[in-house]
Coordinates of all heavy atoms in Angstrom, one line a residue:
M1 N 0.9 -1.2 0.0 CA 0.0 0.0 0.0 C 0.9 1.2 0.0 O 1.8 1.4 0.8 CB -0.9 0.0 1.2 CG -1.6 1.2 1.5 SD -2.9 1.2 2.8 CE -2.0 0.7 4.2
S2 N 0.7 2.1 -0.9 CA 1.4 3.3 -1.0 C 0.9 4.3 0.1 O -0.4 4.5 0.1 CB 1.3 4.0 -2.4 OG 1.8 5.3 -2.4
T3 N 1.7 4.9 0.8 CA 1.2 5.8 1.9 C 1.8 7.2 1.8 O 1.9 7.9 2.8 CB 1.5 5.2 3.3 OG1 2.8 4.9 3.4 CG2 0.7 4.0 3.5
S4 N 2.3 7.5 0.7 CA 2.9 8.9 0.5 C 1.7 10.0 0.4 O 0.9 9.9 -0.5 CB 3.7 9.0 -0.8 OG 4.0 10.3 -1.0
T5 N 1.7 10.9 1.4 CA 0.7 11.9 1.4 C 0.8 12.8 0.2 O -0.1 13.6 -0.1 CB 0.6 12.7 2.7 OG1 1.9 13.3 2.8 CG2 0.3 11.8 3.9
D6 N 1.9 12.8 -0.6 CA 2.1 13.7 -1.7 C 1.0 13.3 -2.8 O 0.7 14.1 -3.6 CB 3.5 13.5 -2.4 CG 4.6 14.0 -1.4 OD1 4.3 14.8 -0.5 OD2 5.7 13.6 -1.6
K7 N 0.6 12.0 -2.8 CA -0.4 11.6 -3.7 C -1.9 11.7 -3.3 O -2.8 11.5 -4.0 CB -0.1 10.2 -4.1 CG 1.2 9.9 -4.7 CD 1.4 8.4 -5.0 CE 2.8 8.2 -5.6 NZ 3.1 6.8 -5.8
W8 N -2.0 12.1 -2.1 CA -3.4 12.1 -1.4 C -3.9 13.6 -1.3 O -3.1 14.5 -1.0 CB -3.4 11.5 -0.1 CG -3.2 10.0 -0.1 CD1 -3.1 9.2 -1.3 CD2 -3.0 9.1 1.0 NE1 -2.9 7.9 -0.9 CE2 -2.9 7.8 0.4 CE3 -3.1 9.3 2.4 CZ2 -2.7 6.8 1.3 CZ3 -2.9 8.2 3.1 CH2 -2.8 6.9 2.6
Q9 N -5.1 13.8 -1.5 CA -5.7 15.2 -1.5 C -6.1 15.4 0.0 O -6.8 14.5 0.6 CB -6.8 15.2 -2.4 CG -7.6 16.6 -2.3 CD -6.8 17.7 -2.8 OE1 -6.2 17.7 -3.8 NE2 -6.7 18.8 -2.0
M10 N -5.8 16.6 0.6 CA -6.3 16.9 1.9 C -7.7 17.5 1.6 O -7.9 18.4 0.7 CB -5.4 17.8 2.6 CG -6.0 18.2 4.0 SD -4.7 19.1 5.0 CE -3.8 17.6 5.5
V11 N -8.7 17.1 2.4 CA -10.0 17.6 2.3 C -10.7 17.9 3.6 O -10.3 17.4 4.7 CB -10.9 16.5 1.5 CG1 -10.5 16.3 0.1 CG2 -11.0 15.2 2.3
R12 N -11.8 18.6 3.6 CA -12.7 18.9 4.7 C -14.0 18.2 4.3 O -14.6 18.6 3.3 CB -12.9 20.3 5.0 CG -13.8 20.6 6.1 CD -14.1 22.1 6.4 NE -13.6 23.0 5.4 CZ -12.7 23.9 5.7 NH1 -12.1 24.0 6.9 NH2 -12.2 24.7 4.8
V13 N -14.4 17.3 5.1 CA -15.7 16.5 4.9 C -16.7 17.0 6.0 O -16.4 16.9 7.1 CB -15.5 15.0 4.9 CG1 -16.8 14.3 4.7 CG2 -14.5 14.6 3.9
T14 N -17.9 17.4 5.5 CA -19.0 17.7 6.4 C -20.0 16.6 6.2 O -20.3 16.3 5.1 CB -19.6 19.1 6.1 OG1 -18.5 20.1 6.3 CG2 -20.7 19.4 7.1
W15 N -20.6 16.1 7.3 CA -21.4 14.9 7.1 C -22.5 14.9 8.3 O -22.2 15.5 9.4 CB -20.7 13.6 7.0 CG -19.7 13.3 8.1 CD1 -18.5 14.0 8.4 CD2 -19.9 12.3 9.1 NE1 -17.9 13.4 9.5 CE2 -18.7 12.4 9.9 CE3 -20.8 11.4 9.4 CZ2 -18.5 11.5 11.0 CZ3 -20.6 10.5 10.4 CH2 -19.4 10.6 11.3
H16 N -23.5 14.2 8.1 CA -24.5 14.0 9.1 C -24.3 12.7 9.8 O -24.3 11.6 9.2 CB -25.9 14.0 8.6 CG -26.4 15.4 8.1 ND1 -27.5 15.5 7.3 CD2 -25.8 16.6 8.2 CE1 -27.7 16.9 7.1 NE2 -26.6 17.5 7.5
D17 N -24.0 12.7 11.1 CA -23.7 11.6 12.0 C -24.9 10.9 12.5 O -25.9 11.6 12.9 CB -22.7 12.0 13.1 CG -22.1 10.8 13.8 OD1 -22.2 9.7 13.3 OD2 -21.4 11.0 14.8
A18 N -24.9 9.6 12.6 CA -26.0 8.9 13.3 C -25.6 9.1 14.8 O -24.4 9.0 15.1 CB -26.0 7.5 13.0
H19 N -26.5 9.4 15.7 CA -26.2 9.7 17.0 C -27.2 9.2 18.0 O -28.4 9.1 17.6 CB -25.9 11.1 17.3 CG -27.0 12.0 17.0 ND1 -27.4 12.4 15.7 CD2 -27.8 12.7 17.8 CE1 -28.4 13.2 15.7 NE2 -28.7 13.5 17.0
S20 N -26.9 8.9 19.2 CA -27.9 8.5 20.2 C -28.1 9.7 21.1 O -27.3 10.6 21.2 CB -27.4 7.2 20.9 OG -26.2 7.6 21.6
V21 N -29.2 9.6 21.8 CA -29.5 10.6 22.9 C -29.6 9.8 24.2 O -29.8 8.6 24.2 CB -30.8 11.4 22.6 CG1 -30.6 12.2 21.3 CG2 -32.0 10.4 22.4
G22 N -29.6 10.6 25.3 CA -29.6 9.9 26.6 C -28.3 9.5 27.0 O -27.3 10.0 26.5
G23 N -28.2 8.7 28.0 CA -26.9 8.2 28.5 C -27.2 7.1 29.5 O -27.9 6.2 29.2
I24 N -26.6 7.3 30.6 CA -26.7 6.2 31.6 C -28.1 6.3 32.4 O -28.5 5.4 33.1 CB -25.5 6.2 32.6 CG1 -25.5 7.5 33.4 CG2 -24.3 5.9 31.9 CD1 -24.4 7.5 34.5
D25 N -28.7 7.4 32.3 CA -30.0 7.7 33.0 C -31.1 7.4 32.0 O -31.0 7.4 30.8 CB -30.1 9.1 33.6 CG -29.0 9.4 34.6 OD1 -28.7 8.5 35.4 OD2 -28.5 10.5 34.6
W26 N -32.3 7.3 32.6 CA -33.5 7.2 31.8 C -33.7 8.4 31.0 O -33.3 9.6 31.4 CB -34.7 7.0 32.7 CG -34.8 5.6 33.2 CD1 -34.4 5.3 34.4 CD2 -35.3 4.4 32.6 NE1 -34.6 3.9 34.6 CE2 -35.1 3.3 33.4 CE3 -35.8 4.2 31.3 CZ2 -35.4 2.1 33.2 CZ3 -36.2 2.9 31.0 CH2 -36.0 1.8 31.9
D27 N -34.2 8.4 29.8 CA -34.3 9.4 28.8 C -35.8 9.7 28.6 O -36.6 8.8 28.7 CB -33.6 9.1 27.5 CG -33.5 10.2 26.6 OD1 -33.5 11.4 27.1 OD2 -33.3 10.0 25.4
D28 N -36.1 10.9 28.1 CA -37.5 11.2 27.7 C -37.3 11.9 26.3 O -36.3 12.2 25.9 CB -38.3 12.0 28.6 CG -37.6 13.3 29.0 OD1 -37.1 14.0 28.0 OD2 -37.6 13.8 30.1
T29 N -38.5 12.2 25.7 CA -38.4 12.9 24.3 C -38.5 14.4 24.4 O -38.6 15.1 23.4 CB -39.5 12.3 23.4 OG1 -40.7 12.6 24.0 CG2 -39.2 10.8 23.2
E30 N -38.6 14.9 25.6 CA -38.8 16.4 25.8 C -37.8 17.2 25.1 O -38.2 18.3 24.5 CB -38.8 16.7 27.3 CG -39.1 18.1 27.6 CD -39.1 18.3 29.2 OE1 -39.8 17.5 29.9 OE2 -38.5 19.3 29.6
N31 N -36.6 16.8 25.0 CA -35.5 17.7 24.5 C -35.2 17.3 23.0 O -34.2 17.8 22.5 CB -34.3 17.8 25.4 CG -34.6 18.4 26.7 OD1 -35.2 19.4 26.7 ND2 -34.2 17.8 27.7
D32 N -35.9 16.4 22.4 CA -35.6 16.0 21.0 C -35.8 17.1 20.1 O -36.7 17.9 20.3 CB -36.4 14.8 20.6 CG -36.0 13.5 21.3 OD1 -35.0 13.5 22.0 OD2 -36.7 12.5 21.1
D33 N -35.0 17.1 19.0 CA -35.2 18.1 18.0 C -35.0 17.4 16.6 O -34.6 16.2 16.5 CB -34.2 19.3 18.1 CG -32.8 18.9 18.0 OD1 -32.4 18.0 17.3 OD2 -32.0 19.6 18.8
D34 N -35.3 18.1 15.5 CA -35.1 17.5 14.2 C -33.8 17.8 13.5 O -33.6 17.6 12.3 CB -36.3 18.0 13.3 CG -37.6 17.5 13.7 OD1 -37.7 16.4 14.3 OD2 -38.6 18.2 13.6
D35 N -32.9 18.5 14.2 CA -31.7 19.0 13.7 C -30.7 17.8 13.5 O -30.6 17.0 14.4 CB -31.0 20.1 14.5 CG -31.9 21.3 14.6 OD1 -32.6 21.6 13.6 OD2 -31.8 22.0 15.7
P36 N -30.0 17.7 12.4 CA -29.0 16.7 12.2 C -27.7 16.9 13.1 O -27.5 18.1 13.5 CB -28.6 16.7 10.8 CG -28.9 18.1 10.4 CD -30.1 18.6 11.3
M37 N -27.0 15.9 13.5 CA -25.8 16.0 14.1 C -24.7 16.3 13.0 O -24.3 15.4 12.3 CB -25.4 14.8 14.9 CG -24.0 14.8 15.6 SD -23.8 16.1 16.8 CE -25.0 15.5 18.1
V38 N -24.3 17.5 12.8 CA -23.4 17.8 11.8 C -21.9 17.7 12.3 O -21.6 18.3 13.3 CB -23.6 19.3 11.3 CG1 -22.6 19.6 10.1 CG2 -25.1 19.4 10.7
V39 N -21.1 17.0 11.5 CA -19.8 16.7 11.9 C -18.8 17.2 10.8 O -19.2 17.0 9.6 CB -19.5 15.3 12.3 CG1 -18.1 14.9 12.6 CG2 -20.5 14.8 13.3
T40 N -17.6 17.7 11.1 CA -16.7 18.1 10.2 C -15.3 17.4 10.5 O -14.9 17.5 11.6 CB -16.5 19.6 10.1 OG1 -17.8 20.2 9.7 CG2 -15.4 20.0 9.0
H41 N -14.7 16.8 9.5 CA -13.4 16.1 9.7 C -12.5 16.7 8.6 O -12.9 17.0 7.4 CB -13.4 14.6 9.5 CG -13.8 13.9 10.7 ND1 -15.1 13.5 10.9 CD2 -13.2 13.5 11.8 CE1 -15.1 12.9 12.2 NE2 -14.0 12.9 12.7
V42 N -11.2 16.8 8.9 CA -10.2 17.2 7.9 C -9.1 16.1 7.9 O -8.7 15.6 8.9 CB -9.5 18.6 8.3 CG1 -8.4 18.9 7.4 CG2 -10.5 19.7 8.3
G43 N -8.8 15.7 6.7 CA -7.7 14.6 6.6 C -7.4 14.4 5.2 O -7.9 15.0 4.2
F44 N -6.5 13.4 5.0 CA -6.1 12.9 3.7 C -7.1 11.9 3.2 O -7.4 10.9 3.9 CB -4.7 12.2 3.7 CG -3.7 13.2 4.1 CD1 -3.1 13.2 5.3 CD2 -3.1 14.1 3.1 CE1 -2.1 14.1 5.6 CE2 -2.1 15.0 3.4 CZ -1.6 15.0 4.7
I45 N -7.7 12.1 2.0 CA -8.7 11.2 1.5 C -8.0 9.9 0.9 O -7.0 10.1 0.2 CB -9.6 11.9 0.4 CG1 -10.9 11.0 0.2 CG2 -8.9 12.2 -0.8 CD1 -12.0 11.7 -0.5
M46 N -8.4 8.8 1.3 CA -7.8 7.5 0.9 C -8.8 6.7 0.0 O -9.8 6.4 0.4 CB -7.5 6.6 2.1 CG -6.6 7.4 3.1 SD -6.4 6.3 4.6 CE -5.3 5.1 3.9
P47 N -8.3 6.5 -1.3 CA -9.2 5.7 -2.2 C -9.2 4.2 -1.8 O -8.4 3.7 -1.2 CB -8.5 6.0 -3.5 CG -7.1 6.2 -3.2 CD -7.1 6.9 -1.9
P48 N -10.3 3.6 -2.3 CA -10.3 2.1 -2.1 C -9.2 1.5 -2.7 O -8.7 1.9 -3.8 CB -11.6 1.7 -2.9 CG -12.5 2.9 -2.8 CD -11.5 4.1 -2.9
G49 N -8.6 0.5 -2.1 CA -7.4 -0.2 -2.6 C -6.1 0.4 -2.0 O -5.0 -0.1 -2.1
A50 N -6.3 1.6 -1.4 CA -5.1 2.3 -0.7 C -5.6 2.6 0.7 O -5.1 3.6 1.2 CB -4.7 3.5 -1.5
G51 N -6.3 1.8 1.4 CA -6.8 2.0 2.7 C -8.2 2.5 2.8 O -8.7 2.5 3.9
G52 N -8.8 2.9 1.7 CA -10.1 3.4 1.7 C -11.1 2.3 1.6 O -10.8 1.1 1.3
K53 N -12.4 2.6 1.9 CA -13.4 1.6 1.9 C -14.5 2.0 0.8 O -14.9 3.1 0.7 CB -14.1 1.6 3.3 CG -15.2 0.5 3.5 CD -15.6 0.5 5.0 CE -16.6 -0.6 5.2 NZ -17.0 -0.5 6.6
K54 N -14.9 0.9 0.0 CA -15.9 1.1 -1.1 C -17.2 1.8 -0.5 O -17.6 1.4 0.6 CB -16.2 -0.2 -1.7 CG -17.0 -0.1 -2.9 CD -17.3 -1.5 -3.5 CE -18.2 -1.4 -4.7 NZ -18.5 -2.7 -5.3
N55 N -17.7 2.7 -1.3 CA -18.9 3.4 -0.9 C -18.8 4.3 0.3 O -19.9 4.6 0.9 CB -20.1 2.4 -0.8 CG -20.4 1.8 -2.1 OD1 -20.4 2.3 -3.2 ND2 -20.6 0.4 -2.0
H56 N -17.6 4.6 0.7 CA -17.4 5.5 1.9 C -16.3 6.6 1.4 O -15.6 6.4 0.5 CB -16.7 4.7 3.0 CG -17.7 3.8 3.7 ND1 -18.2 2.6 3.0 CD2 -18.3 3.8 4.8 CE1 -19.0 2.0 3.8 NE2 -19.1 2.7 4.9
I57 N -16.3 7.7 2.2 CA -15.2 8.6 2.1 C -14.3 8.2 3.3 O -14.7 8.2 4.5 CB -15.7 10.1 2.3 CG1 -16.7 10.5 1.2 CG2 -14.5 11.0 2.4 CD1 -16.0 10.6 -0.2
T58 N -13.1 7.8 3.0 CA -12.2 7.4 4.1 C -11.1 8.4 4.2 O -10.5 8.9 3.3 CB -11.5 6.0 3.7 OG1 -12.5 5.0 3.6 CG2 -10.5 5.6 4.8
L59 N -10.9 8.9 5.5 CA -9.9 9.9 5.8 C -8.9 9.3 6.7 O -9.3 8.5 7.6 CB -10.5 11.1 6.5 CG -11.6 11.9 5.7 CD1 -12.1 13.1 6.5 CD2 -11.0 12.4 4.4
C60 N -7.7 9.7 6.5 CA -6.5 9.4 7.4 C -6.1 10.7 8.0 O -5.9 11.7 7.3 CB -5.4 8.7 6.6 SG -3.9 8.6 7.5
F61 N -5.9 10.7 9.3 CA -5.6 12.0 9.9 C -4.0 12.3 10.1 O -3.7 13.4 10.4 CB -6.2 12.0 11.4 CG -7.7 11.8 11.3 CD1 -8.3 10.7 12.0 CD2 -8.4 12.7 10.6 CE1 -9.6 10.6 11.9 CE2 -9.8 12.5 10.5 CZ -10.4 11.5 11.2
G62 N -3.2 11.4 9.8 CA -1.8 11.6 9.9 C -1.0 10.3 9.4 O -1.6 9.3 9.3
M63 N 0.3 10.4 9.2 CA 1.1 9.3 8.8 C 2.5 9.5 9.1 O 3.0 10.6 9.1 CB 0.9 9.3 7.2 CG 1.8 8.3 6.6 SD 1.6 8.5 4.8 CE -0.3 8.6 4.7
T64 N 3.2 8.4 9.5 CA 4.6 8.4 9.8 C 5.3 8.2 8.5 O 4.8 7.8 7.5 CB 4.9 7.3 10.8 OG1 4.7 6.0 10.2 CG2 4.2 7.4 12.1
A65 N 6.7 8.5 8.5 CA 7.5 8.3 7.4 C 7.6 6.9 6.9 O 7.8 6.6 5.7 CB 9.0 8.8 7.7
D66 N 7.4 5.9 7.8 CA 7.5 4.5 7.3 C 6.1 3.9 7.0 O 6.0 2.7 6.9 CB 8.2 3.7 8.5 CG 7.4 3.6 9.8 OD1 6.4 4.3 10.0 OD2 7.9 2.9 10.7
G67 N 5.1 4.8 6.9 CA 3.8 4.4 6.4 C 2.8 4.1 7.5 O 1.7 3.6 7.2
G68 N 3.1 4.3 8.8 CA 2.1 4.0 9.8 C 1.0 5.1 9.7 O 1.2 6.3 9.5
L69 N -0.2 4.7 9.9 CA -1.3 5.6 9.8 C -1.9 6.0 11.2 O -2.0 5.2 12.1 CB -2.5 4.9 9.0 CG -2.2 4.4 7.6 CD1 -3.3 3.7 7.0 CD2 -1.8 5.6 6.7
D70 N -2.3 7.2 11.3 CA -2.9 7.8 12.5 C -4.3 7.8 12.4 O -4.9 8.8 11.9 CB -2.3 9.2 12.9 CG -3.0 9.7 14.0 OD1 -3.6 9.1 14.9 OD2 -2.8 11.0 14.2
S71 N -5.0 6.8 12.7 CA -6.5 6.7 12.7 C -7.1 7.0 11.3 O -6.7 7.9 10.6 CB -7.0 7.7 13.7 OG -8.3 7.5 14.0
R72 N -8.1 6.2 11.0 CA -8.8 6.4 9.8 C -10.3 6.4 10.2 O -10.7 5.8 11.1 CB -8.7 5.2 8.8 CG -7.3 5.3 8.1 CD -7.2 4.1 7.1 NE -7.0 2.9 8.0 CZ -7.2 1.7 7.5 NH1 -7.6 1.5 6.2 NH2 -7.1 0.6 8.3
I73 N -11.1 7.1 9.4 CA -12.6 7.1 9.6 C -13.2 6.8 8.2 O -12.8 7.3 7.2 CB -13.1 8.4 10.2 CG1 -14.6 8.3 10.4 CG2 -12.8 9.6 9.3 CD1 -15.2 9.4 11.3
H74 N -14.2 5.9 8.2 CA -14.9 5.5 7.0 C -16.3 6.2 7.1 O -17.1 5.8 8.0 CB -15.1 4.0 6.9 CG -13.7 3.3 6.9 ND1 -12.8 3.4 5.8 CD2 -13.2 2.5 7.8 CE1 -11.8 2.6 6.1 NE2 -12.0 2.1 7.3
I75 N -16.6 7.2 6.3 CA -17.9 7.9 6.4 C -18.7 7.4 5.2 O -18.3 7.5 4.1 CB -17.7 9.4 6.3 CG1 -16.7 9.9 7.4 CG2 -19.0 10.2 6.4 CD1 -16.2 11.3 7.2
P76 N -19.9 6.8 5.5 CA -20.8 6.3 4.4 C -21.1 7.5 3.5 O -21.5 8.6 3.9 CB -22.0 5.8 5.1 CG -21.5 5.4 6.4 CD -20.5 6.5 6.8
K77 N -21.0 7.3 2.1 CA -21.2 8.4 1.2 C -22.6 9.0 1.3 O -22.8 10.2 1.1 CB -21.0 8.0 -0.3 CG -19.5 7.8 -0.6 CD -19.3 7.4 -2.0 CE -17.8 7.4 -2.3 NZ -17.5 7.0 -3.7
G78 N -23.6 8.2 1.7 CA -25.0 8.7 1.8 C -25.2 9.7 3.0 O -26.1 10.4 3.0
M79 N -24.2 9.7 3.9 CA -24.2 10.7 5.0 C -23.4 12.0 4.8 O -23.5 12.9 5.5 CB -23.7 10.0 6.3 CG -24.6 8.8 6.6 SD -23.9 7.8 8.0 CE -24.7 8.7 9.4
V80 N -22.7 12.0 3.6 CA -21.9 13.2 3.3 C -22.7 14.3 2.8 O -23.4 14.1 1.8 CB -20.7 12.7 2.3 CG1 -19.9 13.9 1.9 CG2 -19.8 11.7 3.0
V81 N -22.4 15.5 3.3 CA -23.0 16.7 2.9 C -22.2 17.4 1.9 O -22.6 17.9 0.8 CB -23.3 17.7 4.1 CG1 -23.9 19.0 3.6 CG2 -24.3 17.0 5.1
S82 N -20.8 17.5 2.1 CA -19.9 18.2 1.2 C -18.5 17.6 1.4 O -18.2 17.2 2.5 CB -19.9 19.7 1.5 OG -19.5 20.1 2.7
V83 N -17.7 17.7 0.4 CA -16.3 17.5 0.4 C -15.6 18.6 -0.2 O -15.9 19.0 -1.4 CB -16.0 16.2 -0.3 CG1 -14.5 15.9 -0.3 CG2 -16.7 15.0 0.3
E84 N -14.8 19.3 0.6 CA -14.0 20.5 0.0 C -12.5 20.2 0.0 O -12.0 19.8 1.0 CB -14.3 21.6 1.0 CG -13.5 22.9 0.6 CD -13.7 24.0 1.7 OE1 -14.4 23.9 2.6 OE2 -13.0 25.0 1.5
K85 N -11.9 20.3 -1.2 CA -10.5 20.1 -1.4 C -9.8 21.3 -0.7 O -10.2 22.5 -0.9 CB -10.1 20.0 -2.8 CG -10.6 18.8 -3.5 CD -10.2 18.7 -5.0 CE -10.7 17.5 -5.7 NZ -10.3 17.4 -7.1
L86 N -8.7 21.0 0.0 CA -7.9 22.1 0.7 C -6.6 22.2 -0.1 O -6.0 21.2 -0.5 CB -7.8 21.7 2.1 CG -9.0 21.5 3.0 CD1 -8.7 21.1 4.4 CD2 -9.9 22.7 3.0
A87 N -6.1 23.5 -0.1 CA -4.8 23.7 -0.7 C -3.7 23.4 0.3 O -4.0 23.1 1.5 CB -4.8 25.2 -1.1
G88 N -2.5 23.3 -0.2 CA -1.4 23.0 0.7 C -1.3 24.0 1.9 O -1.7 25.2 1.8
A89 N -0.9 23.4 3.0 CA -0.8 24.2 4.2 C 0.2 25.3 4.3 O 0.2 26.2 5.0 CB -0.8 23.3 5.4
G90 N 1.3 25.0 3.5 CA 2.4 25.9 3.6 C 3.3 25.7 4.8 O 3.3 24.7 5.4
T91 N 4.1 26.7 5.1 CA 4.9 26.7 6.3 C 4.3 27.3 7.5 O 3.8 28.4 7.5 CB 6.3 27.4 6.0 OG1 6.9 26.8 4.8 CG2 7.3 27.3 7.1
L92 N 4.4 26.6 8.6 CA 3.9 27.1 9.9 C 5.0 27.9 10.6 O 6.2 27.6 10.6 CB 3.4 26.0 10.8 CG 2.3 25.1 10.3 CD1 2.0 24.0 11.3 CD2 1.0 26.0 10.1
G93 N 4.7 29.1 11.1 CA 5.6 29.9 11.9 C 5.7 29.5 13.3 O 4.9 28.6 13.8
N94 N 6.7 30.0 14.0 CA 6.8 29.7 15.4 C 6.4 30.7 16.4 O 7.0 31.0 17.3 CB 8.4 29.3 15.7 CG 8.8 28.0 15.1 OD1 8.0 27.1 14.9 ND2 10.0 27.9 14.6
G95 N 5.4 31.4 16.0 CA 4.8 32.4 16.9 C 4.8 33.7 16.3 O 4.5 34.7 16.5

């Protein structure tokens, strides 16, 4: 598997997450609303065959020089609201 981030596009994905309500206590419907749980992730998009999952947007959040991956998330395409390509980050200053 090629893990060079030079070949991967950095993106911002906005999506509607499935979520639960309540917790360890009994729950009621008094505070329910119709608003979706909107989530935004930024990462390197990974195509199927290179760590990605078919019918999903797969993001990797970081990578080591020897190809180790820092966490991936597979977001079902049907839950995706938008995918925005991000330009190179450039050089970070030290304050």
